[in-house]
Structure formats: structure tokens, C-alpha cells
Amino acid sequence: MTQTTRTDDERFQLRRILTDERSRGIIIQVILVLAVVAFIAFITRNTMVNLGKSGLTTGFGFLADPAFFDINQPLIAYNSQSSFARALLVGLLNTLLVSVLGIIGATVLGFTSGVLRLSKNWLISRLITSYVEFTRNVPVLLQILFWWALLTGLPKVPDSISIGDIAFVNNRGLRVPGPITEPGSMWVLIALALGIIAAVAISKWARKRQDLTGQTFPSALTGLGLVIGLPILVYLVLGQPLGWEIPERTRFNFRGGINVTPELIALWLALTTYTGAFISEIVRSGILSVSRGQSEAAFALGLRPNLTMRKIILPQALRVIIPPLTSQYLNLTKNSSLAIVIGFQDLVSIGGSILNQSGHSLEIVAIWMAIYLSLSLATSAYMNWYNKRIALVER
């Protein structure tokens, strides 16, 4: 009798656990996690067995081996004797370069075209609409190839287009002056950094001052003066320690300066215009989400249209704009991997070269996935922080 009662109690307890929603959810999650772990373990073991049968080794020790290939536009010191790890770092920096430049360009283009599409000027509105509809409906890969073909069709080096005799454009890219650092040039960079910090601090102080007293302060002009004026002042006081190397035309090429390859320019233009078209629609929808009464009230108080858009409409529209804008930033970063089709040596292109030489496909793919995942998570974390920072606080 006692054993039967104990069995009934155990069944009752089990039934209660299974019927409880919270307990049932925990059990299902545990089962799913165990199933995923078991599946990953099975795939890993199966892969290791197959690699062993093929006589292939695993591990990341190959990253110390010399690369034996060149990179046409490294941002750090690199040569063919550098290691695979150094080559991947160069590829990562190139990916970050085109991603950051693309995000900046697409943001400026997207916000500008999004506002202009709502313009009452019929011509401007239709031109922006045509740009958005055309660009959004053409694959980005075709746009990259289009810009690359257009740039490589420029005049050859002997017939380069001169821009003030200090910059030159040809089918090999854009040759611009390069900086020549001398002792004391670091102080100019420090002055620039201090100018930026001071500009940000003044902007925050002016905003708080306006909230408390209603008095405005020309923080934008003051900040611009600090960012530009302070480095120039240090530059002049120290006797101009920073010079510029002007490109010089030779028989077959140019000597000196910095050459921006057509592959980088084409990739940047394509990613900027393509992503900018999507951002334009996001900005337009965000502006339209703000009640029309907000702008009418601002006009009734005598505010100008540009000030109304900057101070009244856009701050409220940002709460709608930021979440989808984050997705576009992530898409742009991942779309930068298409650079391989025009020969721009980014992370994917250089990783492919290393894969072909070393045969470590699993390790290279794992590095790709880890880096792009880290970039996406970092971008999302920053944009989420910014979204919370600008969120409207209801009273």
C-alpha cells in the first residue's frame, strides 16, 4: 500500500511538472540544447574522421607560415614574406575600411535623398524617386561590376586627368598627395584629437544650457573652429612639421603620393548608392510617421522649415529609423565580401588565397564566420545603445 501511494505521488509530481507552462518550457529548451550539442558533436567527429582518412591536419598553426603573395593596397606594412595571419589582418582592415566608408556615405546619401523625396519641388522629388526605385531593384553585384567597368574605362596613365596638378585620375585609380611625417607631426594629430573632444564637450554643454535657460550657443561653428583651427595653430607654431608628397608623372606611371585603386572606389560607390537607396526609404517612412501637427505647430511658432526638420521632425523620426537602419549597416558590411568579383583584396579574397595555398578550408571558413559575426554583433550593440540613448522619455 505504501509503495503504491509513493508511485502515485511520483506520477502526480511528474504530471504537475509537465502541465506547468514554465517547467515544460524549461524541459523543452534543455532537450533542444542537448540535441544541438549532440548534432554539433556528431558533425565535428565525422569531420575529424574524414580529415584523418584524407591525411589532412587541423589547427591554426599554418597562420605563421609565409604567405608568398602580394596585396595591392595594404593599410599596414606587408610583403610576400609576411605570414598568413598578417595577410588576414590586412584583409580585415580593408574590409573595415570599405565598410566604414560605405556606412558614412550611405548614411549621408540616404538621409539627404529621404528628405528631398518629400520635397514639394516636383523635379527633385521625381529624380530622387527614380534613383531609389532603380537602385533598389538592380542587384548590388551588377552595380559593383558597372562601377568597376566605368572606372577601368578611364584614360590610361599617359592621358591622366589632372586635378589642379596635385591629383590625377586614370584607369589605375586616383593618385592623391600623401603625408610626409616629420618630428613633431604627432602633436598635430594630438591637437586634432583634442579639438574633437572639446567640440563634443561643448556640444553637450550647449544642449544642457539650452534645456535649462532656453539660450542657444553656436556649438557647431565653435566645434568646427576647434577641430580645424587647433591643429592648424599647432602646425604653424611647430614650424609646419607635416608635409605632403605630390605625385610626379613618370614615363609609365606616377611616383609618390597615395594611389586609391579603382576596385576600392567602385566597391565604395556601389555599396553607398545601393544601401543609400534603402536608407532613403527608411528615412522617408520615419519622417511620415511623425504627426503632421508637429510641423504645423513649429511653423505657427515661426520656425523655418529646415530648423523644423532638424529640431522637431528628425529627433522624433529617429525612433522609427534606427532599428531598420541597423539592418542596412549589417547588410552593407556583409555585402562588402562581394569585392572578390572585381579583385579588391578584402578578408574573403585574401582568405580564399590562403585556403588555396594551405588547404585549411575549415579553419579559414571558421575565421570568416567569427569575424563577420563579431562585426555584426559590435554594430548591433552600438546601434542598440544609440537607440536607447535617443529614445523619447515620456513624462
Side-chain angles (χ1 to χ4, degrees):
M1 185 67 177
T2 304
Q3 186 175 0
T4 303
T5 303
R6 184 180 303 170
T7 303
D8 293 339
D9 291 340
E10 291 176 353
R11 291 177 179 176
F12 175 76
Q13 293 292 337
L14 180 61
R15 190 180 299 110
R16 189 176 68 175
I17 291 175
L18 293 178
T19 55
D20 182 69
E21 183 178 356
R22 184 172 181 274
S23 301
R24 186 171 63 251
I26 293 175
I27 293 174
I28 294 174
Q29 292 180 50
V30 170
I31 293 175
L32 288 176
V33 169
L34 292 177
V36 171
V37 171
F39 176 76
I40 294 175
F42 170 76
I43 294 296
T44 303
R45 182 180 180 279
N46 187 57
T47 302
M48 298 298 293
V49 170
N50 291 334
L51 288 175
K53 291 180 180 180
S54 303
L56 300 176
T57 59
T58 58
F60 294 92
F62 71 97
L63 293 176
D65 297 338
F68 294 122
F69 61 82
D70 292 320
I71 298 176
N72 56 16
Q73 190 163 352
L75 296 179
I76 57 175
Y78 174 86
N79 57 59
S80 60
Q81 298 301 315
S82 299
S83 65
F84 284 143
R86 184 80 174 181
L88 283 174
L89 178 59
V90 173
L92 173 60
L93 293 177
N94 285 344
T95 295
L96 290 175
L97 173 66
V98 72
S99 298
V100 172
L101 292 178
I103 286 174
I104 295 173
T107 302
V108 174
L109 179 62
F111 271 79
T112 303
S113 57
V115 173
L116 291 179
R117 191 173 181 185
L118 297 173
S119 172
K120 295 180 181 180
N121 187 302
W122 184 89
L123 180 60
I124 293 178
S125 177
R126 292 302 179 270
L127 286 176
I128 298 298
T129 301
S130 301
Y131 151 69
V132 170
E133 295 302 326
F134 175 81
T135 307
R136 289 199 309 165
N137 292 286
V138 176
V140 63
L141 180 59
L142 294 181
Q143 297 187 40
I144 293 174
L145 292 173
F146 165 77
W147 285 110
W148 178 72
L150 185 65
L151 292 173
T152 52
L154 290 172
K156 296 182 179 180
V157 173
D159 302 319
S160 297
I161 301 173
S162 176
I163 304 175
D165 289 332
I166 60 172
F168 302 88
V169 181
N170 51 59
N171 61 354
R172 295 187 182 181
L174 173 65
R175 179 76 67 163
V176 296
I180 302 175
T181 58
E182 299 177 3
S185 60
M186 183 60 64
W187 290 106
V188 178
L189 298 178
I190 294 176
L192 175 62
L194 291 177
I196 295 174
I197 295 173
V200 173
I202 290 176
S203 177
K204 292 183 177 180
W205 169 80
R207 191 179 299 113
K208 291 182 179 179
R209 179 173 179 263
Q210 185 176 359
D211 292 339
L212 294 175
T213 65
Q215 297 178 352
T216 59
F217 183 81
S219 58
L221 292 177
T222 304
L224 185 63
L226 287 171
V227 172
I228 298 177
L230 190 58
I232 293 177
L233 179 62
V234 174
Y235 174 78
L236 295 175
V237 169
L238 295 180
Q240 304 180 1
L242 186 64
W244 296 94
E245 183 183 26
I246 306 299
E248 297 180 3
R249 193 192 301 266
T250 61
R251 183 175 181 182
F252 299 106
N253 204 344
F254 284 90
R255 180 175 60 247
I258 298 175
N259 185 60
V260 184
T261 62
E263 290 78 17
L264 173 59
I265 300 174
L267 185 63
W268 175 72
L269 287 174
L271 293 178
T272 296
T273 54
Y274 180 76
T275 310
F278 287 91
I279 294 178
S280 173
E281 286 297 275
I282 293 172
V283 172
R284 186 175 71 92
S285 63
I287 293 174
L288 292 177
S289 69
V290 179
S291 173
R292 188 176 180 83
Q294 297 287 322
S295 56
E296 291 177 350
F299 295 152
L301 293 174
L303 295 179
R304 297 186 300 274
N306 59 344
L307 191 60
T308 300
M309 177 63 69
R310 186 159 49 92
K311 295 291 187 179
I312 306 298
I313 305 300
L314 280 180
Q316 297 183 71
L318 282 177
R319 71 183 190 275
V320 178
I321 294 174
I322 294 300
L325 182 64
T326 303
S327 298
Q328 292 305 318
Y329 288 168
L330 298 179
N331 290 337
L332 188 149
T333 303
K334 290 179 286 188
N335 286 338
S336 66
S337 61
L338 295 173
I340 192 173
V341 300
I342 58 174
F344 179 70
Q345 293 178 292
D346 70 330
L347 178 67
V348 174
S349 176
I350 293 176
S353 300
I354 296 175
L355 188 153
N356 292 331
Q357 289 193 22
S358 66
H360 290 267
S361 57
L362 289 178
E363 292 84 348
I364 295 298
V365 173
I367 291 173
W368 283 339
M369 294 174 63
I371 289 177
Y372 278 107
L373 177 62
S374 301
L375 293 177
S376 297
L377 292 177
T379 304
S380 298
Y382 173 78
M383 294 301 292
N384 289 335
W385 168 81
Y386 183 71
N387 190 33
K388 291 180 180 179
R389 183 173 178 270
I390 65 170
L392 296 177
V393 180
E394 298 183 359
R395 297 180 180 178

